[in-house]
Amino acid sequence: MRELAQTAQLSRRSLLKAGALAGGGLFLSVTLPGMAQAATGGGAAELNAFVSIAPDGVITIVSKNPEIGQGIKTMLPMLIAEELDADWDQVKIVGSDYHPTKYGFQFAGGSMSTPMNWLPMRQAGAAARQMLLEAAALEWGVAPAGLRTSKSTITDPASGRTMTYGQVASSAAKSKVPDLAKVPLKDEKDFVIIGRAIGGIDSPKIVRGEPIFGVDTQLPGMKYAAFERAPVFGARLRSADLEAAKAVPGVEDVFVIEGGDNPAELVDGVAIVAGNWWIANKAREKLKIDWDTGEWASHSSANYDAQAKKLWAEPPKDTIVEEGDVSAAFAGAAKVIEAEYHYPFLAHVPMEPQNCTALVKEDGSVEMWAPTQMPQSGHQGVAKMLGVPGEKVTVHITRMGGGFGRRLTNDFMHQAAAIAARKKGTPIQLIWSREDDLRSDFYRPAGWHKFRAAIDAEGKLTGLEDHFVTFSTKGEIPMFAQMGPKVFPAGYVPNLKYTVSQMESRVPMGALRAPQSNALSYVFQSFLDEVAAEQGSDLPTLLLSLLRGKPDEPMQRGFGGESPGFSPKRAIGVIEKAMQMADWSTPAAEGRAKGFGFYFSHNGYFAEVVEASLSRSRQPVVHHVWAAGDVGKHIINPHGALNQIEGSIIDGIGQALGLAVKIEGGAVQQSNFHDYPLPRMPVTPTIDVEFVKSDNPPTGLGEPALPPVVPALTNALHALTGKRVRSLPIDRKLFA
């Protein structure tokens, strides 16, 4: 992921190829070199977005990126259809397989699908429209510049003649291919599809219960598999007695799988193959396995907490960033505030547990049906594991019942392929149980922060320190357990220092919706709320005082190419908008209180206000959330955008109220929804959303609305009770 982030770039240069469909029609292939570079780490590859137009006028658009419920399967084709001037009622959308030479970088993560595809997909549609115009102009003997298009129809205003796209498609395949860098794009005032609320293309199928998810895959002669792995992270298999499991009626085979020590790939385990999954899963109870747990069986959440406190008492291991003279700021402070914050491990638990169907053929070729957010790494990993060339591995990307970052890691693909390799010629569907899914995750890392703030005699925040305690694996801090040097308010407090210490662990860690930001927003915005209270002010007032008069940061190069740096102006815009929406200056009704939170993540700016109370049992209750967001100038699909924001807010509230993964004996203690209670309908508050439009290209919405809601809730509870929530999930005993 890190290497991809360093190389993923967009380019305005593109190459368009056209061809005729069998039976007539236009087939359009768009090659985008910049995206291809992202897929190959710098080498030459192609990203092909395909448009085909049949004689009957049906336009088929291929949506290349994995669909995990974020709406990308609908949104990407909307961009093409807009510039094509297509009749949306005649558009058919199909998902693609993994095919790097056609589509380049295919993934779902980081809220990057919108910024990476905003321009290229529009160019693809505009180029197709230009070819259709030229074909019609040639047939009518007129200049293409004088023709007009609307809803898949070409009109010659001078003569009144019309022609449908289907009628001219075959001729258009012979038109000169335009330069995508020069093809004219629509004026935004003429948009009729971009900005239109369109329901998800698969939503009717989901409501009808049609089999469209990975777990619904059915193949002739298919068998089912369960996979037993070590409950203790880092453990290796010593020996296994398989006879009792083999004797279970309906079980067809049981065998040991030898793996390595990288949980993202293949680990040691025992595979059980049967005619149905229930039999395979139940037979696991008969296995007798001796695991070598090593030192990892002594690890626990309580032990990590004790280690963190010990590390706080020692000098930090490393400095993340240091600005100004922090020591002088504290030496001259009129008041020093200190606070310790903690957040736990979190699991993803998408509604569809991990699964993969694999077929290893006698010739060594491999075919897989995988609900994966990152097909590249799954494809490459399986090819390497089985020792076959990449071109002999085919990956069909299926619709996913949620992902939230879990399916960026493809351990389940490795397991399915390893089992199928032992049963050549037989399709094998590996399905994880809910318990497997919760206990074999790549978790949002837990973390500990010890803050100090210096306030001078005038009440100004002059210094800030954070000693962050996190984890390392084999001496290296995992990507999503890190904290960068630009975490706000870095750059906006004159004297600031972030330091870090780490403790060794084998708990697998990965990206969870709004990775890093989902935790850092809670601790930083909560502590800044403490600072504001000591100043006799409130959090939005403090934030505005830090941001006003500051210039925008320069363009930054990162995942997906260049993007605008942090903009204080845009931050101020959403902060003020949220205050206005929630009538911030007016106190909440009796028995309720409001709290504020702001964060910038994934190129999106969100400020949120939570109104909360306590139930008779002292359980926090969220009544209302006001959210103001700036994700650029255009909301491509308002329907999908609202879904993502509301989902993010509910997700964040659920995390704050009751979610935590606890480690005991080196293993996860939670097993299912009864002890990992995801938010349900009664928890859902009223949510109001407004967008602050700015003159910037649109960015993604799958993640940036989540981080601010957690501190907004904890800050509301402080305003209500005077008690600070310094550890998640919120413990109602704090308010007894």
Side-chain angles (χ1 to χ4, degrees):
M1 188 83 173
R2 182 179 299 167
E3 291 178 358
L4 291 172
Q6 292 171 344
T7 58
Q9 298 180 51
L10 280 178
S11 171
R12 291 181 177 270
R13 294 186 307 105
S14 304
L15 176 65
L16 193 69
K17 297 179 181 179
L21 287 171
L26 170 68
F27 181 74
L28 186 67
S29 161
V30 187
T31 302
L32 305 169
M35 300 283 266
Q37 190 178 33
T40 60
E46 294 182 346
L47 168 65
N48 296 319
F50 295 99
V51 177
S52 59
I53 304 175
D56 64 0
V58 173
I59 301 172
T60 299
I61 301 178
V62 176
S63 189
K64 70 184 184 67
N65 280 5
E67 173 61 63
I68 55 175
Q70 83 281 41
I72 208 68
K73 187 175 179 181
T74 305
M75 188 279 285
L76 287 182
M78 287 176 67
L79 299 178
I80 296 173
E82 178 65 77
E83 295 291 348
L84 181 60
D85 255 349
D87 180 352
W88 184 257
D89 292 336
Q90 289 187 294
V91 170
K92 176 184 176 182
I93 300 172
V94 296
S96 70
D97 288 342
Y98 170 66
H99 202 316
T101 58
K102 285 185 178 180
Y103 305 113
F105 197 15
Q106 297 168 269
F107 79 111
S111 294
M112 291 304 301
S113 290
T114 297
M116 291 181 74
N117 290 288
W118 166 249
L119 181 61
M121 297 300 100
R122 291 177 61 206
Q123 289 174 327
R129 174 180 172 274
Q130 185 65 33
M131 295 170 69
L132 292 162
L133 284 172
E134 291 179 359
L138 182 64
E139 183 166 333
W140 287 335
V142 298
L147 302 180
R148 299 292 178 264
T149 58
S150 177
K151 299 189 71 173
S152 298
T153 300
I154 302 169
T155 302
D156 178 10
S159 64
R161 290 175 293 186
T162 63
M163 184 183 301
T164 66
Y165 285 0
Q167 290 172 318
V168 75
S170 293
S171 299
K174 304 171 186 177
S175 298
K176 181 181 178 182
V177 176
D179 182 349
L180 289 192
K182 297 179 181 179
V183 68
L185 299 177
K186 275 188 177 182
D187 189 301
E188 62 186 58
K189 66 179 175 56
D190 297 324
F191 286 166
V192 294
I193 294 176
I194 292 174
R196 175 179 163 188
I198 296 176
I201 195 68
D202 286 337
S203 295
K205 297 177 182 179
I206 295 170
V207 172
R208 291 192 296 265
E210 293 186 20
I212 63 173
F213 297 97
V215 76
D216 296 320
T217 302
Q218 293 288 316
L219 299 172
M222 187 174 78
K223 303 298 180 181
Y224 295 85
F227 187 70
E228 181 75 5
R229 65 195 65 68
V232 174
F233 300 118
R236 302 300 298 270
L237 188 147
R238 282 201 186 104
S239 63
D241 183 348
L242 313 181
E243 296 310 310
K246 288 181 177 180
V248 173
V251 169
E252 299 188 9
D253 205 354
V254 184
F255 46 88
V256 170
I257 296 284
E258 294 184 3
D261 62 356
N262 182 357
E265 297 177 351
L266 184 66
V267 295
D268 292 349
V270 175
I272 301 175
V273 179
N276 69 59
W277 180 80
W278 178 256
I279 292 174
N281 192 54
K282 290 296 289 183
R284 294 165 64 180
E285 299 172 3
K286 303 293 185 180
L287 293 170
K288 297 178 181 178
I289 304 177
D290 181 20
W291 299 103
D292 179 3
T293 60
E295 67 172 285
W296 310 113
S298 65
H299 283 226
S300 68
S301 293
N303 175 261
Y304 290 144
D305 192 61
Q307 285 189 65
K309 289 177 170 57
K310 182 180 179 181
L311 288 168
W312 275 339
E314 301 172 359
K317 300 289 180 64
D318 198 9
T319 297
I320 299 172
V321 63
E322 185 169 6
E323 301 169 345
D325 190 337
V326 176
S327 297
F330 280 95
K335 185 180 294 185
V336 174
I337 308 167
E338 297 186 2
E340 298 173 359
Y341 280 85
H342 165 255
Y343 44 83
F345 289 109
L346 292 178
H348 296 81
V349 287
M351 293 306 295
E352 178 191 21
Q354 310 315 309
N355 66 90
C356 181
T357 304
L359 172 61
V360 178
K361 301 174 185 177
E362 293 296 339
D363 64 359
S365 62
V366 184
E367 195 167 3
M368 308 187 78
W369 291 259
T372 171
Q373 292 180 242
M374 185 67 78
Q376 282 90 343
S377 61
H379 176 273
Q380 294 164 6
V382 166
K384 180 180 179 182
M385 179 186 72
L386 298 181
V388 299
E391 58 267 23
K392 296 193 73 173
V393 179
T394 300
V395 176
H396 306 289
I397 307 171
T398 66
R399 170 94 191 201
M400 284 159 265
F404 310 109
R406 173 58 180 92
R407 289 183 161 99
L408 290 169
T409 308
N410 292 301
D411 48 333
F412 53 94
M413 290 182 68
H414 287 78
Q415 293 166 13
I419 298 169
R422 296 281 291 269
K423 310 294 292 184
K424 285 186 177 179
T426 300
I428 299 292
Q429 185 172 98
L430 170 70
I431 303 176
W432 287 21
S433 68
R434 177 62 63 195
E435 290 77 10
D436 291 333
D437 203 44
L438 212 159
R439 291 177 168 172
S440 300
D441 203 347
F442 287 79
Y443 304 91
R444 193 284 299 276
W448 295 258
H449 294 257
K450 186 169 185 176
F451 289 105
R452 289 204 311 154
I455 299 177
D456 67 13
E458 297 179 357
K460 293 182 180 179
L461 174 62
T462 58
L464 181 68
E465 279 189 333
D466 176 27
H467 184 176
F468 172 40
V469 176
T470 186
F471 295 97
S472 60
T473 301
K474 298 181 181 179
E476 183 176 347
I477 300 176
M479 178 188 297
F480 299 109
Q482 298 174 9
M483 185 174 83
K486 292 190 175 182
V487 173
F488 185 84
Y492 296 87
V493 175
N495 307 289
L496 178 141
K497 187 176 184 179
Y498 297 161
T499 58
V500 64
S501 298
Q502 63 266 17
M503 46 190 160
E504 192 71 4
S505 175
R506 284 297 179 272
V507 176
M509 289 166 257
L512 176 67
R513 192 176 198 171
Q516 300 175 336
S517 301
N518 54 38
L520 297 176
S521 175
Y522 157 61
V523 296
F524 276 90
Q525 290 288 294
S526 294
F527 184 63
L528 287 176
D529 192 67
E530 292 198 47
V531 172
E534 288 293 335
Q535 293 175 317
S537 182
D538 58 26
L539 179 56
T541 300
L542 170 60
L543 296 176
L544 292 172
S545 70
L546 295 175
L547 293 166
R548 281 202 170 106
K550 302 296 174 60
D552 288 355
E553 296 180 5
M555 293 289 290
Q556 297 183 357
R557 183 172 179 176
F559 194 42
E562 285 195 336
S563 61
F566 179 74
S567 168
K569 181 180 178 181
R570 297 176 71 182
I572 290 169
V574 298
I575 291 170
E576 292 181 336
K577 176 54 114 178
M579 294 172 71
Q580 175 193 345
M581 292 170 64
D583 194 9
W584 177 254
S585 61
T586 300
E590 185 176 354
R592 299 184 181 187
K594 298 174 187 174
F596 195 91
F598 159 79
Y599 215 66
F600 167 70
S601 70
H602 296 81
N603 292 319
Y605 300 76
F606 271 85
E608 295 168 13
V609 176
V610 164
E611 184 179 67
S613 69
L614 292 176
S615 69
R616 290 183 179 180
S617 63
R618 314 307 286 170
Q619 180 68 33
V621 178
V622 180
H623 300 280
H624 206 138
V625 179
W626 295 268
D630 180 350
V631 289
K633 195 172 186 179
H634 301 283
I635 306 301
I636 299 168
N637 184 354
H639 179 86
L642 186 62
N643 286 346
Q644 288 305 297
I645 295 171
E646 292 177 340
S648 294
I649 288 170
I650 296 168
D651 206 354
I653 291 171
Q655 293 174 9
L657 290 180
L659 297 184
V661 165
K662 294 184 179 179
I663 307 298
E664 186 65 41
V668 170
Q669 297 305 290
Q670 286 66 35
S671 62
N672 212 311
F673 292 140
H674 71 283
D675 53 8
Y676 197 77
L678 295 180
R680 301 192 179 190
M681 291 294 287
V683 173
T684 304
T686 298
I687 301 173
D688 290 335
V689 178
E690 291 193 29
F691 291 102
V692 178
K693 301 290 184 67
S694 61
D695 193 16
N696 292 277
T699 53
L701 268 171
E703 295 164 286
L706 188 155
V709 75
V710 180
L713 171 55
T714 58
N715 291 339
L717 293 174
H718 172 261
L720 181 68
T721 68
K723 303 289 183 66
R724 286 287 177 189
V725 178
R726 294 200 177 100
S727 182
L728 293 179
I730 299 167
D731 186 351
R732 65 181 179 181
K733 295 177 183 178
L734 179 67
F735 312 113

